[in-house]
Amino acid sequence: MSSDSGLLLEVKDLKKSFPGVLALKGVSLTLGKGEVISLIGENGAGKSTLMKILAGVQPADSGDYYIDGQKVDFKNVREAMDLGIALIHQELNLAANLDLASNIFLGREPGSKGFINEQKLHTEATRHLKRVGLNLPSETIAGSLPIGKQQLVEIAKALSCNARVLIMDEPTSSLSQKETETLFEVVKGLRDEGISVIYISHRLGEVKELSDRVTVFRDGENAGELAKDEINHDNMVRLMVGRELSEFYDREIHKPGDCVLKASNVVSPTYPEVPVSIEVRAGEIVGIAGLVGAGRTELLQTFFGVTPSLGGELEVQGVRFSPRSPADAVHAGLALAPEDRKHHGLVLPMTVRENASLPSLERDQNMGILDHSKEKEIANVAVEQMKIKTPSIEQAARFLSGGNQQKIVLGKWLAMNPKLLMLDEPTRGIDIGAKREIYKLMEKLAGKGIAILFVSSEMEEVLGMADRVYVMHEGGISGELQKNQMSEESIMQLATGGSLEA
Amino acid sequence: MKKNVFGIFGLLVTVFVITAIADPNFLSAYNMQNTAKWSSLYGVMSIGVAFVIITGGIDLSIGSVVGLVAVVLSFFTKIQGLDPIVAIGLTLLMSVLIGLIHGLLITKAKLQPFVVTLCGLLIYRSLSRWLTDNQSLGPVPLEGDLGFENLEQILMLDFLFSGQIPIGDFFKLPTPALFLLVLAIAGSVFLRKTIWGRYLYALGNNEDGARYSGIDTDRMKIVAYVLCSFFAGIAGILFAFELGSVQPAQTGEFYELFAIAAAVLGGCSLRGGEGSILGVIIAAAVIRIIFNSINMVGISTHLEFGILGVVILLGVIGDEMLKKKMAERQVAASEKLAAELSEKSKNNENLD
Amino acid sequence: MKTYSKILSLLCVPILGSFFGCGEKPGEEGADSQASFAYVTNGVDPFWDLCAAGVRIAEKEFGVNCEVLMPPKGVVDQKRMMETLLAKGIDGIAVSPVDAENQTPFLDEVAENTILITNDSDAPKSKRLVFIGTNNYKAGRALGGLVKKALPEGGEVMLFVGRLEQLNARQRRQGVIDELLGRPVQSLEQVKYDPVDATNLTTEGSKYTILDTRTDNFDKARAKSNAEDAIAKYKDLKCMVGLFAYNSPSCIDAIKEAGKLGTIKICGFDEQDALLQAITDGHAYGTISQQPWEYGYESIKMLKKILEGTQPENTYQEVSFLEVTQGNIGEFWAKKKEMAELGKSE
């Protein structure tokens, strides 16, 4: 409710670095008893790193923690839990074929001498399930519950450890509208019980609804605080991006040219019963929005020949196209900067030069012999154009930051002069400076007449960058929005299966 | 890359010097000739398996392919009286086909390389035995054999594959060393100078990453298995002429393990994506010198595998430490750059 | 016909090949009335084909049926094959145990279920009824005698063998050593062995030094490189002795390539063609032949006798060995060729 009883948790000057990246440059955070604060910031701002440190998953390099005004120290998850801090993971960690009671008390089963006191196990479990509004028998098998309920079970599990601070990292990313509402009810109820919550989300609407206070991170530093009555969309975005929105997403609308990619009733193997039709024109930047698991990545992979289409027709510049492999797609002039940069986008142990030139080798070969000078040229052009920060083009890609890695991915495709550039979560895990450069580049490429199709879970990015957006829901296109129709509300409406008129 | 060879070269020098001190006869021209010869024979196989290991695969069938090729070649030249050149062509073709089948089973049928080549190991070995009724035979025909009429030609081949070329008054260069030299240069050029070599490294490091870059990874994997079996085939011919007698049940047995050991000791990672031909050849030489050394120093032959195991283990540990050092240096470079950049620009443009 | 089908299937190498041909082996139909025996070797070697020749002769002579089995992978395969035989039901087995000492319990088990005799290499502690074979210690001494004749002046001698885990290898080696060092003849039941890694064995008054015994685990390439290494290491080496069949041919190759034919004498065991050729040409001094066909013949004869109720008088029946040198090489080789033809598998 209020924090007049003093601070429950205080973090001061926390620093953390990873190889090549200074993730937290000395951040601070306060949390009162019974307070719900939201922690927001662009991807790569350091939110998740802080949360992992607080939950004992990773150690910080330096910094102090106070609980109830006492300086404390913890080294692992167990010790953090003993202090009452619990992290509800983005990915749920329930054992799918154990029942709820066993999941809640996993590793802490009541009983003695190795025998489990079944009765106590179930009565206790039922009590905690009730606290999160779940009136289910504690014998229910965890895996049989929908995702939203599993999330609540996770919370019940945290409560059973006497958690006083719940950290929720993007809890709604895969929840339906209804499930989200239920979750909010539970969170508000817990707040009234005096439990504090740190809520991390990209959905500013949710943040506004739920938070008593908002803390904003930018680029590993505190960017500002918003009290309850200051919380509004513009304030939050301004603090997150460090400038006015229009300045950050510097877009010009180009007159779209001919159709570059046309998909008619294409079927991806993940959603075999839902055909998808879209088109992207030259010079256009088209977004694909939707919840996690809506089939966006799978759609791009089908276009790129990673998973061949099960039906329908694809055309590239009016020519029938049925890719059996990425090699086919590349030959047709397509390029994909995949979501999983480390596993799909790059060959991490190889150098900047080797990564940047990989797709072009075949074109630049001379009877199979590598053209070293061309290769170097491609790498140097990429470093220059993309402003890749690397000691040399002979540096292994794995030692560069996420932003620079993504720039290599883009650089290697630009060397191929693609007709269509597909980007899957192009700025995930990237710092704000690199992000802006990637946006500028997208704009520049569109200006040159390249068609751009990007998938993003970041509302701001979709709203800021796309000329047009397709919203996906459970594998299908639930709606198409023109620039003037786009808003957070309209997109969420379509993404959760609603329709615009309703 | 060059630094990786440093470690194994150091090991070579160490083993060399220790053995030379323990028994100066080690340095005799005769012994050096023999060492060069055996190193070459095993080296050829090791180069082959290096291609596969670089892609992150494995080939356990090498020894059996060596055996089968040696058997089939002898069968053709001695018993069938086939034209020896044709016989060599056919046996090499057979080894290429074997590699092709391995590659297709692994890429198209999506079977695990370990399983495919393990089955190969069993199948080719039993084929060798069945084909010959398990009788020993050699590539050089004796009087009464059908192939006796081609004797002259076969003796020339015998010289080509297992002869010695005098260099100066004392040293005679074994011809297998020439084969090794040619194959090693060809292999090195392939790996370092052609796009396909680059593709092999790329797919060994990250198959998905390579595939998403538009590389036909399946085709490259098949190429690797074909090369591996082809090199094993050449080794089979060399062994057949060197030994003069091929025992269908035994010739080549366990050689895959020597080849894999040499590849690993030479800097190939079984996780794929790493390794160089030079390193592998040096490692093959180290292994042969260790065997030679065990005889020269007069250590019980019962200990030889133990000694080999310990040396490989130490070599791999040393290699791992060297790699860690180099990685640390690269990280330091990145961090230094990051620090410099964030010094320079205090606006939003600094590096994360 | 057979060869033709092999070439055909070779072109379908390697997958199809293994499917063809497997069915071609002659079945054992029509053997109901006849006694059925098995002859189990200790490995795969042309030596065993010569033994098989004796088995075939005996088969005809005594009207029995005998399977010849060659386990490719030592103890494990041998055990597997014999277990299968027991499962099928068999009237008697003659076996050359790979590792006599440690196989004893298993051999006892076999002996309880059928008639078990050993040949070539014995398992003295087992319940086998009789051992048919060369007295390997005696044969070793005879081989030592050949070395003495080859090197009347004495000198350094080197021994080569596949592996020393086998009793016959150890006995043979000891025989050679004892003979060369002029030690008294030991009884086969209680041979005292020099350590396997003993080097520079000699005694006062003996003209001979046994430098070392190198093993190669049946890898022919190893056998040859062992020989080469010995030539490189020991400048005064006078004689190489191969205790297993393939050892002396490997030595011959190495000596030939080192240009030391004549300087280093060779004495071998058994009767590989390369060795016989070298004896003919005067490059090798001689060999001890165990006359393998006698093994097969005597084994089957013995099994038949026991099956008909006659227990063997002794637990050991010696098969005589033969010294082969330039004097009798022609006659011996002809006999061997005849036997090899008869004994070919299938």
Side-chain angles (χ1 to χ4, degrees), chain B residues 23 25 34 37-38 80 101 124 129-131 133-135 242 245 253 255 292 295-296 299 301 304, chain C residues 2-3 6-7 14 44 49 72-73 214-215 219-222 224-226 228-229 231-233 258:
Chain B
D23 188 340
N25 283 325
N34 291 332
K37 176 181 72 190
W38 293 114
Q80 290 298 307
I101 289 168
Y124 312 141
R129 296 177 47 199
W130 169 75
L131 186 72
D133 297 331
N134 220 343
Q135 299 291 316
E242 174 56 35
S245 127
E253 210 176 11
Y255 286 5
N292 182 234
N295 277 341
M296 297 303 276
I299 301 168
T301 28
E304 64 192 13
Chain C
K2 203 182 74 185
T3 317
K6 279 179 178 177
I7 294 182
V44 179
D49 291 325
K73 290 275 174 298
R214 303 310 288 185
T215 60
D219 179 347
K220 190 133 196 263
R222 252 348 272 298
K224 190 174 173 193
S225 71
N226 277 350
E228 289 174 349
D229 290 347
I231 296 170
K233 183 170 167 66

Side-chain angles (χ1 to χ4, degrees), chain B residues 61-308:
Chain B
S61 70
I62 296 168
S64 292
V65 173
V66 166
L68 181 62
V69 163
V71 159
V72 169
L73 177 71
S74 306
F75 183 75
F76 280 158
T77 58
K78 183 182 162 97
I79 300 184
Q80 290 298 307
L82 222 62
D83 181 85
I85 305 283
V86 173
I88 284 176
L90 283 178
T91 46
L92 287 179
L93 181 69
M94 178 183 74
S95 64
V96 165
L97 281 176
I98 287 174
L100 188 66
I101 289 168
H102 288 171
L104 288 172
L105 287 172
I106 288 161
T107 56
K108 305 298 177 199
K110 308 252 179 271
L111 302 180
Q112 287 171 346
F114 192 97
V115 176
V116 170
T117 58
L118 179 65
C119 295
L121 178 152
L122 301 170
I123 293 169
Y124 312 141
R125 178 62 61 195
S126 78
L127 270 180
S128 301
R129 296 177 47 199
W130 169 75
L131 186 72
T132 55
D133 297 331
N134 220 343
Q135 299 291 316
S136 300
L137 75 177
V140 180
L142 299 174
E143 216 171 328
D145 290 325
L146 262 180
F148 195 67
E149 53 187 88
N150 300 320
L151 185 66
E152 212 166 300
Q153 224 178 336
I154 292 170
L155 286 179
M156 268 162 63
L157 288 173
D158 186 36
F159 177 79
L160 178 68
F161 288 105
S162 71
Q164 294 179 328
I165 301 165
I167 296 180
D169 292 342
F170 299 105
F171 191 77
K172 282 181 259 162
L173 184 73
T175 48
L178 293 176
F179 277 87
L180 180 75
L181 189 71
V182 170
L183 292 172
I185 290 172
S188 272
V189 167
F190 180 80
L191 275 183
R192 294 287 172 203
K193 300 286 175 197
T194 70
I195 58 171
W196 306 297
R198 180 70 59 78
Y199 290 171
L200 289 186
Y201 281 109
L203 92 90
N205 272 308
N206 181 352
E207 189 176 344
D208 278 336
R211 202 157 65 94
Y212 275 75
S213 295
I215 294 169
D216 191 339
T217 48
D218 281 357
R219 191 196 301 162
M220 289 319 299
K221 274 190 182 170
I222 294 172
V223 166
Y225 283 94
V226 166
L227 283 175
C228 182
S229 295
F230 178 67
F231 275 60
I234 295 177
I237 294 172
L238 291 171
F239 270 108
F241 281 106
E242 174 56 35
L243 298 177
S245 127
V246 181
Q247 297 158 300
Q250 273 119 22
T251 300
E253 210 176 11
F254 298 128
Y255 286 5
E256 56 278 347
L257 298 185
F258 291 128
I260 293 167
V264 170
L265 185 60
C268 292
S269 161
L270 288 183
R271 284 183 288 269
E274 281 174 49
S276 70
I277 300 295
L278 185 59
V280 170
I281 291 173
I282 296 176
V286 167
I287 292 175
R288 290 338 292 176
I289 292 179
I290 288 172
F291 278 118
N292 182 234
S293 166
I294 286 164
N295 277 341
M296 297 303 276
V297 178
I299 301 168
S300 163
T301 28
H302 293 107
L303 265 177
E304 64 192 13
F305 286 118
I307 292 172
L308 185 64

